[in-house]
């Protein structure tokens, strides 16, 4: 077996999947970009990030006492704190309501602010070994409203514990934009209320599209926005994460990858060395060992170290770790199948096919969040971008002659459809799916262009 073949096997054995479905992540996958340290602090009440950047990962990591101890400089602040999930992508009806409960509650004219305070009161009562009415969520809210003094005493009593309550996956609270806004706004008001009580903290993970809406339209919201942190990934952060995953591949594969990547051992876990956490010669050389110096025969085709990440960026120029790791794994699979005798682990054509795979995954994710998006963008298949806006509208009008308001969607429809195709374009731009160039032509980042079947001169080709 050649070195390249052995490295391919090693890459394919590494934990490169970032999907999270509950439970604590593997400690070996824990990688903390410096920019994320602020988001993990107790005083960062609102954390904003796009799809696949780590919101659910950090939610699960914060819930795990073991992983909290491994969070570096953020760990000291979290030491000894009790963490509770106040909402997440796994249903826990005794701890927080589900979408059906929210729907009934709102249908009956309830204020989401009260329902979220009920969630917090149950948490505080349980940790304080006190009993409050909790047969169902309506009962807890009724008690809060009818016995406000008892609820206030519960929150104001001395405590011998500190606690953090974490809220994630809030898009699962409702399929209707206005209702989701009301629910999230009610939560943020409850977080502001919680700030009055010493030793109790809250952290709310929001998607960018949620944070950009009207959820902060209430008095004193600036006290929360002042603490807002963003989950962003620089190029060197993505490469650092990749190598953190690679060097923890199971034996004997991990040894092959650790021979390339500078590393240390901490708490019995292989960790990338400091020079692999920044844009450095060591980081570049390590990736070059896998993919070579060029995306072809010479420098004219680009450098793999930068090329892969730049072609996975959305309309705001951001690349998610989920997309990057998926592309690298697919590149290793494709190199094994098509270029078994190639001298390097990752063939440059396989890296391009990795972009295709990551784009397909991202398109599927978008369809889950916004079912109307693939209905609209699939109509542009075969177009070359950049292109004129009139050409785009012509395709959309042929499919939806009654305008964007006729686009079917059973979940979170286009927000500005009432304003016509310009409003729809605004929604697509806000989601990072479409860009408008200075000359007013419409462009689409490769991350989505490839998956939706649009072309670009000299760009990565979409699958047929």
């Amino acid at each position: 077996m050649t070195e390249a073949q052995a490295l391919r096997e090693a890459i394919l054995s590494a934990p490169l999947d970032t999907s999270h479905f509950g439970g604590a992540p593997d400690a070996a996958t824990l990688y903390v970009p410096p920019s994320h340290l602020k988001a993990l602090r107790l005083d960062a009440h609102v954390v904003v990030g796009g799809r696949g950047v780590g919101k659910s990962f950090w939610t699960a990591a914060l819930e795990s006492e073991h992983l909290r101890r491994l969070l570096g400089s953020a760990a000291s602040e979290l030491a000894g704190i009790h963490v509770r999930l106040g909402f997440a992508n796994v249903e826990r009806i005794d701890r927080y309501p589900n979408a059906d409960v929210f729907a009934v509650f709102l249908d009956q004219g309830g204020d989401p602010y009260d329902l979220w305070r009920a969630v917090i009161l149950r948490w505080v009562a349980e940790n304080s070994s006190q009993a409050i009415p909790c047969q169902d969520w309506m009962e807890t809210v009724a008690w809060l409203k009818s016995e406000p003094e008892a609820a206030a005493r519960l929150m104001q009593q001395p405590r011998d514990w500190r606690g953090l309550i974490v809220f994630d996956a809030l898009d699962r609270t409702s399929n209707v934009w206005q209702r989701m806004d009301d629910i999230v706004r009610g939560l943020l008001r409850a977080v502001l209320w919680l700030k009055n009580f010493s030793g109790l903290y809250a952290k709310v993970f929001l998607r960018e599209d949620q944070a950009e809406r009207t959820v902060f339209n209430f008095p004193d919201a600036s006290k929360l926005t002042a603490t807002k942190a963003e989950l962003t990934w620089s190029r060197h952060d993505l490469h650092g994460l990749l190598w953190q995953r690679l060097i923890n591949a199971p034996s004997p594969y991990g040894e092959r990858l650790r021979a390339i990547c500078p590393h240390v051992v901490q708490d019995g876990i292989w960790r990338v060395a400091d020079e692999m956490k920044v844009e450095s010669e060591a980081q570049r050389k390590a990736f070059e060992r896998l993919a070579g110096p060029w995306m072809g025969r010479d420098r004219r085709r680009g450098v793999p170290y930068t090329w892969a990440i730049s072609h996975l960026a959305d309309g705001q120029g951001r690349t998610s770790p989920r997309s990057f790791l998926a592309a690298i794994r697919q590149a290793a699979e494709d190199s094994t199948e098509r270029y078994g005798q190639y001298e390097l682990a990752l063939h440059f054509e396989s890296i391009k096919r990795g972009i295709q795979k990551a784009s397909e995954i991202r398109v599927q994710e978008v369809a889950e969040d916004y079912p109307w998006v693939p209905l609209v963008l699939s109509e542009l298949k075969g177009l070359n971008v950049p292109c004129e806006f009139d050409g785009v509208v012509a395709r959309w009008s042929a499919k939806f002659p009654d305008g964007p308001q006729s686009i079917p969607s059973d979940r979170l429809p286009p927000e500005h459809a009432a304003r016509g195709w310009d409003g729809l374009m605004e929604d697509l731009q806000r989601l990072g799916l479409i860009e408008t160039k200075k000359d007013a032509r419409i462009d689409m980042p490769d991350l989505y262009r490839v998956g939706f079947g649009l072309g670009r001169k000299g760009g990565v080709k979409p699958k047929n």
Side-chain angles (χ1 to χ4, degrees), residues 351-374:
I351 294 176
K352 294 177 183 178
R353 293 189 184 95
I355 304 299
Q356 291 177 337
K357 181 64 175 179
S359 181
E360 290 175 11
I361 293 172
R362 193 54 176 256
V363 165
Q364 292 169 2
E365 292 175 344
V366 169
E368 293 171 7
D369 293 339
Y370 309 100
W372 60 271
V373 167

PDB file of all heavy atoms in Angstrom, residues 351-374:
ATOM      1  N   ILE A 351     -11.261  16.851  -5.187  1.00  0.00           N
ATOM      2  CA  ILE A 351     -11.619  17.992  -4.340  1.00  0.00           C
ATOM      3  C   ILE A 351     -12.783  18.749  -4.972  1.00  0.00           C
ATOM      4  O   ILE A 351     -13.721  19.173  -4.287  1.00  0.00           O
ATOM      5  CB  ILE A 351     -10.409  18.910  -4.123  1.00  0.00           C
ATOM      6  CG1 ILE A 351      -9.323  18.173  -3.311  1.00  0.00           C
ATOM      7  CG2 ILE A 351     -10.823  20.199  -3.416  1.00  0.00           C
ATOM      8  CD1 ILE A 351      -8.051  18.972  -3.118  1.00  0.00           C
ATOM      9  N   LYS A 352     -12.773  18.881  -6.293  1.00  0.00           N
ATOM     10  CA  LYS A 352     -13.887  19.541  -6.977  1.00  0.00           C
ATOM     11  C   LYS A 352     -15.180  18.744  -6.772  1.00  0.00           C
ATOM     12  O   LYS A 352     -16.246  19.322  -6.560  1.00  0.00           O
ATOM     13  CB  LYS A 352     -13.577  19.670  -8.464  1.00  0.00           C
ATOM     14  CG  LYS A 352     -12.406  20.603  -8.774  1.00  0.00           C
ATOM     15  CD  LYS A 352     -12.103  20.634 -10.265  1.00  0.00           C
ATOM     16  CE  LYS A 352     -10.900  21.511 -10.563  1.00  0.00           C
ATOM     17  NZ  LYS A 352     -10.564  21.518 -12.009  1.00  0.00           N
ATOM     18  N   ARG A 353     -15.076  17.407  -6.853  1.00  0.00           N
ATOM     19  CA  ARG A 353     -16.277  16.589  -6.620  1.00  0.00           C
ATOM     20  C   ARG A 353     -16.705  16.656  -5.153  1.00  0.00           C
ATOM     21  O   ARG A 353     -17.885  16.505  -4.853  1.00  0.00           O
ATOM     22  CB  ARG A 353     -16.011  15.146  -7.057  1.00  0.00           C
ATOM     23  CG  ARG A 353     -15.823  15.003  -8.559  1.00  0.00           C
ATOM     24  CD  ARG A 353     -15.770  13.545  -9.007  1.00  0.00           C
ATOM     25  NE  ARG A 353     -15.485  13.483 -10.428  1.00  0.00           N
ATOM     26  CZ  ARG A 353     -14.270  13.321 -10.954  1.00  0.00           C
ATOM     27  NH1 ARG A 353     -13.228  13.166 -10.143  1.00  0.00           N
ATOM     28  NH2 ARG A 353     -14.087  13.296 -12.254  1.00  0.00           N
ATOM     29  N   GLY A 354     -15.743  16.897  -4.282  1.00  0.00           N
ATOM     30  CA  GLY A 354     -16.097  17.120  -2.877  1.00  0.00           C
ATOM     31  C   GLY A 354     -16.943  18.365  -2.710  1.00  0.00           C
ATOM     32  O   GLY A 354     -17.877  18.389  -1.898  1.00  0.00           O
ATOM     33  N   ILE A 355     -16.639  19.404  -3.497  1.00  0.00           N
ATOM     34  CA  ILE A 355     -17.459  20.618  -3.479  1.00  0.00           C
ATOM     35  C   ILE A 355     -18.871  20.292  -3.956  1.00  0.00           C
ATOM     36  O   ILE A 355     -19.866  20.774  -3.396  1.00  0.00           O
ATOM     37  CB  ILE A 355     -16.836  21.705  -4.379  1.00  0.00           C
ATOM     38  CG1 ILE A 355     -15.391  22.000  -3.969  1.00  0.00           C
ATOM     39  CG2 ILE A 355     -17.698  22.973  -4.341  1.00  0.00           C
ATOM     40  CD1 ILE A 355     -15.210  22.518  -2.585  1.00  0.00           C
ATOM     41  N   GLN A 356     -18.968  19.441  -4.992  1.00  0.00           N
ATOM     42  CA  GLN A 356     -20.288  19.038  -5.485  1.00  0.00           C
ATOM     43  C   GLN A 356     -21.089  18.346  -4.384  1.00  0.00           C
ATOM     44  O   GLN A 356     -22.274  18.633  -4.191  1.00  0.00           O
ATOM     45  CB  GLN A 356     -20.131  18.083  -6.672  1.00  0.00           C
ATOM     46  CG  GLN A 356     -19.576  18.722  -7.936  1.00  0.00           C
ATOM     47  CD  GLN A 356     -19.388  17.710  -9.053  1.00  0.00           C
ATOM     48  OE1 GLN A 356     -19.264  16.510  -8.809  1.00  0.00           O
ATOM     49  NE2 GLN A 356     -19.350  18.184 -10.287  1.00  0.00           N
ATOM     50  N   LYS A 357     -20.445  17.449  -3.657  1.00  0.00           N
ATOM     51  CA  LYS A 357     -21.140  16.723  -2.595  1.00  0.00           C
ATOM     52  C   LYS A 357     -21.568  17.667  -1.478  1.00  0.00           C
ATOM     53  O   LYS A 357     -22.711  17.593  -0.989  1.00  0.00           O
ATOM     54  CB  LYS A 357     -20.232  15.631  -2.030  1.00  0.00           C
ATOM     55  CG  LYS A 357     -20.875  14.788  -0.936  1.00  0.00           C
ATOM     56  CD  LYS A 357     -22.063  14.001  -1.459  1.00  0.00           C
ATOM     57  CE  LYS A 357     -22.608  13.071  -0.397  1.00  0.00           C
ATOM     58  NZ  LYS A 357     -23.781  12.299  -0.880  1.00  0.00           N
ATOM     59  N   ALA A 358     -20.670  18.551  -1.067  1.00  0.00           N
ATOM     60  CA  ALA A 358     -21.013  19.503  -0.005  1.00  0.00           C
ATOM     61  C   ALA A 358     -22.158  20.401  -0.445  1.00  0.00           C
ATOM     62  O   ALA A 358     -23.029  20.763   0.358  1.00  0.00           O
ATOM     63  CB  ALA A 358     -19.783  20.340   0.355  1.00  0.00           C
ATOM     64  N   SER A 359     -22.177  20.764  -1.735  1.00  0.00           N
ATOM     65  CA  SER A 359     -23.256  21.597  -2.250  1.00  0.00           C
ATOM     66  C   SER A 359     -24.585  20.845  -2.203  1.00  0.00           C
ATOM     67  O   SER A 359     -25.620  21.416  -1.829  1.00  0.00           O
ATOM     68  CB  SER A 359     -22.946  22.023  -3.686  1.00  0.00           C
ATOM     69  OG  SER A 359     -23.963  22.860  -4.194  1.00  0.00           O
ATOM     70  N   GLU A 360     -24.569  19.565  -2.561  1.00  0.00           N
ATOM     71  CA  GLU A 360     -25.796  18.761  -2.487  1.00  0.00           C
ATOM     72  C   GLU A 360     -26.324  18.708  -1.052  1.00  0.00           C
ATOM     73  O   GLU A 360     -27.526  18.843  -0.817  1.00  0.00           O
ATOM     74  CB  GLU A 360     -25.513  17.348  -2.982  1.00  0.00           C
ATOM     75  CG  GLU A 360     -25.246  17.241  -4.473  1.00  0.00           C
ATOM     76  CD  GLU A 360     -24.851  15.830  -4.869  1.00  0.00           C
ATOM     77  OE1 GLU A 360     -24.987  14.914  -4.035  1.00  0.00           O
ATOM     78  OE2 GLU A 360     -24.406  15.645  -6.010  1.00  0.00           O
ATOM     79  N   ILE A 361     -25.411  18.519  -0.096  1.00  0.00           N
ATOM     80  CA  ILE A 361     -25.815  18.459   1.314  1.00  0.00           C
ATOM     81  C   ILE A 361     -26.423  19.790   1.748  1.00  0.00           C
ATOM     82  O   ILE A 361     -27.458  19.842   2.422  1.00  0.00           O
ATOM     83  CB  ILE A 361     -24.612  18.096   2.199  1.00  0.00           C
ATOM     84  CG1 ILE A 361     -24.151  16.654   1.907  1.00  0.00           C
ATOM     85  CG2 ILE A 361     -24.957  18.257   3.675  1.00  0.00           C
ATOM     86  CD1 ILE A 361     -22.850  16.276   2.582  1.00  0.00           C
ATOM     87  N   ARG A 362     -25.785  20.890   1.331  1.00  0.00           N
ATOM     88  CA  ARG A 362     -26.273  22.209   1.735  1.00  0.00           C
ATOM     89  C   ARG A 362     -27.649  22.491   1.136  1.00  0.00           C
ATOM     90  O   ARG A 362     -28.527  23.074   1.790  1.00  0.00           O
ATOM     91  CB  ARG A 362     -25.278  23.283   1.316  1.00  0.00           C
ATOM     92  CG  ARG A 362     -25.526  24.654   1.947  1.00  0.00           C
ATOM     93  CD  ARG A 362     -25.593  24.555   3.474  1.00  0.00           C
ATOM     94  NE  ARG A 362     -25.727  25.855   4.075  1.00  0.00           N
ATOM     95  CZ  ARG A 362     -24.738  26.508   4.684  1.00  0.00           C
ATOM     96  NH1 ARG A 362     -23.553  25.951   4.764  1.00  0.00           N
ATOM     97  NH2 ARG A 362     -24.932  27.686   5.217  1.00  0.00           N
ATOM     98  N   VAL A 363     -27.858  22.071  -0.111  1.00  0.00           N
ATOM     99  CA  VAL A 363     -29.156  22.250  -0.747  1.00  0.00           C
ATOM    100  C   VAL A 363     -30.230  21.476   0.016  1.00  0.00           C
ATOM    101  O   VAL A 363     -31.349  21.968   0.221  1.00  0.00           O
ATOM    102  CB  VAL A 363     -29.092  21.809  -2.222  1.00  0.00           C
ATOM    103  CG1 VAL A 363     -30.494  21.638  -2.809  1.00  0.00           C
ATOM    104  CG2 VAL A 363     -28.303  22.826  -3.043  1.00  0.00           C
ATOM    105  N   GLN A 364     -29.901  20.271   0.461  1.00  0.00           N
ATOM    106  CA  GLN A 364     -30.846  19.483   1.245  1.00  0.00           C
ATOM    107  C   GLN A 364     -31.175  20.176   2.562  1.00  0.00           C
ATOM    108  O   GLN A 364     -32.334  20.188   3.004  1.00  0.00           O
ATOM    109  CB  GLN A 364     -30.269  18.091   1.516  1.00  0.00           C
ATOM    110  CG  GLN A 364     -30.143  17.222   0.271  1.00  0.00           C
ATOM    111  CD  GLN A 364     -29.329  15.966   0.523  1.00  0.00           C
ATOM    112  OE1 GLN A 364     -28.879  15.699   1.648  1.00  0.00           O
ATOM    113  NE2 GLN A 364     -29.122  15.180  -0.518  1.00  0.00           N
ATOM    114  N   GLU A 365     -30.164  20.755   3.187  1.00  0.00           N
ATOM    115  CA  GLU A 365     -30.384  21.465   4.450  1.00  0.00           C
ATOM    116  C   GLU A 365     -31.293  22.675   4.252  1.00  0.00           C
ATOM    117  O   GLU A 365     -32.190  22.939   5.061  1.00  0.00           O
ATOM    118  CB  GLU A 365     -29.047  21.903   5.039  1.00  0.00           C
ATOM    119  CG  GLU A 365     -28.178  20.756   5.519  1.00  0.00           C
ATOM    120  CD  GLU A 365     -26.812  21.216   5.993  1.00  0.00           C
ATOM    121  OE1 GLU A 365     -26.421  22.362   5.669  1.00  0.00           O
ATOM    122  OE2 GLU A 365     -26.139  20.430   6.668  1.00  0.00           O
ATOM    123  N   VAL A 366     -31.057  23.409   3.186  1.00  0.00           N
ATOM    124  CA  VAL A 366     -31.896  24.572   2.890  1.00  0.00           C
ATOM    125  C   VAL A 366     -33.338  24.149   2.665  1.00  0.00           C
ATOM    126  O   VAL A 366     -34.287  24.797   3.122  1.00  0.00           O
ATOM    127  CB  VAL A 366     -31.353  25.329   1.660  1.00  0.00           C
ATOM    128  CG1 VAL A 366     -32.357  26.374   1.179  1.00  0.00           C
ATOM    129  CG2 VAL A 366     -30.030  26.004   1.992  1.00  0.00           C
ATOM    130  N   ALA A 367     -33.509  23.022   1.960  1.00  0.00           N
ATOM    131  CA  ALA A 367     -34.857  22.529   1.698  1.00  0.00           C
ATOM    132  C   ALA A 367     -35.576  22.160   2.990  1.00  0.00           C
ATOM    133  O   ALA A 367     -36.793  22.329   3.104  1.00  0.00           O
ATOM    134  CB  ALA A 367     -34.797  21.319   0.769  1.00  0.00           C
ATOM    135  N   GLU A 368     -34.837  21.660   3.979  1.00  0.00           N
ATOM    136  CA  GLU A 368     -35.439  21.332   5.268  1.00  0.00           C
ATOM    137  C   GLU A 368     -35.901  22.595   5.986  1.00  0.00           C
ATOM    138  O   GLU A 368     -36.977  22.615   6.595  1.00  0.00           O
ATOM    139  CB  GLU A 368     -34.423  20.586   6.140  1.00  0.00           C
ATOM    140  CG  GLU A 368     -34.058  19.203   5.629  1.00  0.00           C
ATOM    141  CD  GLU A 368     -32.895  18.596   6.406  1.00  0.00           C
ATOM    142  OE1 GLU A 368     -32.480  19.214   7.405  1.00  0.00           O
ATOM    143  OE2 GLU A 368     -32.397  17.534   6.009  1.00  0.00           O
ATOM    144  N   ASP A 369     -35.080  23.651   5.927  1.00  0.00           N
ATOM    145  CA  ASP A 369     -35.412  24.891   6.628  1.00  0.00           C
ATOM    146  C   ASP A 369     -36.454  25.715   5.885  1.00  0.00           C
ATOM    147  O   ASP A 369     -37.349  26.307   6.505  1.00  0.00           O
ATOM    148  CB  ASP A 369     -34.148  25.731   6.816  1.00  0.00           C
ATOM    149  CG  ASP A 369     -33.146  25.075   7.761  1.00  0.00           C
ATOM    150  OD1 ASP A 369     -33.570  24.214   8.550  1.00  0.00           O
ATOM    151  OD2 ASP A 369     -31.955  25.422   7.693  1.00  0.00           O
ATOM    152  N   TYR A 370     -36.317  25.775   4.560  1.00  0.00           N
ATOM    153  CA  TYR A 370     -37.183  26.618   3.736  1.00  0.00           C
ATOM    154  C   TYR A 370     -37.609  25.820   2.503  1.00  0.00           C
ATOM    155  O   TYR A 370     -36.940  25.876   1.456  1.00  0.00           O
ATOM    156  CB  TYR A 370     -36.446  27.891   3.300  1.00  0.00           C
ATOM    157  CG  TYR A 370     -35.796  28.618   4.441  1.00  0.00           C
ATOM    158  CD1 TYR A 370     -34.432  28.486   4.692  1.00  0.00           C
ATOM    159  CD2 TYR A 370     -36.552  29.434   5.284  1.00  0.00           C
ATOM    160  CE1 TYR A 370     -33.833  29.142   5.754  1.00  0.00           C
ATOM    161  CE2 TYR A 370     -35.960  30.085   6.338  1.00  0.00           C
ATOM    162  CZ  TYR A 370     -34.597  29.947   6.576  1.00  0.00           C
ATOM    163  OH  TYR A 370     -34.014  30.594   7.621  1.00  0.00           O
ATOM    164  N   PRO A 371     -38.706  25.073   2.577  1.00  0.00           N
ATOM    165  CA  PRO A 371     -39.124  24.218   1.452  1.00  0.00           C
ATOM    166  C   PRO A 371     -39.356  24.975   0.154  1.00  0.00           C
ATOM    167  O   PRO A 371     -39.290  24.386  -0.926  1.00  0.00           O
ATOM    168  CB  PRO A 371     -40.420  23.586   1.975  1.00  0.00           C
ATOM    169  CG  PRO A 371     -40.318  23.652   3.468  1.00  0.00           C
ATOM    170  CD  PRO A 371     -39.565  24.910   3.756  1.00  0.00           C
ATOM    171  N   TRP A 372     -39.618  26.271   0.223  1.00  0.00           N
ATOM    172  CA  TRP A 372     -39.868  27.050  -0.989  1.00  0.00           C
ATOM    173  C   TRP A 372     -38.596  27.331  -1.778  1.00  0.00           C
ATOM    174  O   TRP A 372     -38.660  27.558  -2.997  1.00  0.00           O
ATOM    175  CB  TRP A 372     -40.552  28.374  -0.647  1.00  0.00           C
ATOM    176  CG  TRP A 372     -39.758  29.265   0.267  1.00  0.00           C
ATOM    177  CD1 TRP A 372     -39.782  29.281   1.629  1.00  0.00           C
ATOM    178  CD2 TRP A 372     -38.816  30.280  -0.121  1.00  0.00           C
ATOM    179  NE1 TRP A 372     -38.914  30.233   2.118  1.00  0.00           N
ATOM    180  CE2 TRP A 372     -38.313  30.858   1.058  1.00  0.00           C
ATOM    181  CE3 TRP A 372     -38.361  30.750  -1.354  1.00  0.00           C
ATOM    182  CZ2 TRP A 372     -37.372  31.889   1.053  1.00  0.00           C
ATOM    183  CZ3 TRP A 372     -37.411  31.778  -1.367  1.00  0.00           C
ATOM    184  CH2 TRP A 372     -36.941  32.332  -0.179  1.00  0.00           C
ATOM    185  N   VAL A 373     -37.438  27.317  -1.128  1.00  0.00           N
ATOM    186  CA  VAL A 373     -36.194  27.682  -1.809  1.00  0.00           C
ATOM    187  C   VAL A 373     -35.873  26.751  -2.985  1.00  0.00           C
ATOM    188  O   VAL A 373     -35.611  27.227  -4.100  1.00  0.00           O
ATOM    189  CB  VAL A 373     -35.022  27.755  -0.814  1.00  0.00           C
ATOM    190  CG1 VAL A 373     -33.686  27.827  -1.564  1.00  0.00           C
ATOM    191  CG2 VAL A 373     -35.168  28.968   0.091  1.00  0.00           C
ATOM    192  N   PRO A 374     -35.872  25.421  -2.807  1.00  0.00           N
ATOM    193  CA  PRO A 374     -35.575  24.568  -3.968  1.00  0.00           C
ATOM    194  C   PRO A 374     -36.615  24.677  -5.081  1.00  0.00           C
ATOM    195  O   PRO A 374     -36.278  24.510  -6.263  1.00  0.00           O
ATOM    196  CB  PRO A 374     -35.541  23.149  -3.382  1.00  0.00           C
ATOM    197  CG  PRO A 374     -36.237  23.234  -2.074  1.00  0.00           C
ATOM    198  CD  PRO A 374     -36.008  24.618  -1.576  1.00  0.00           C
TER     199      PRO A 374
END
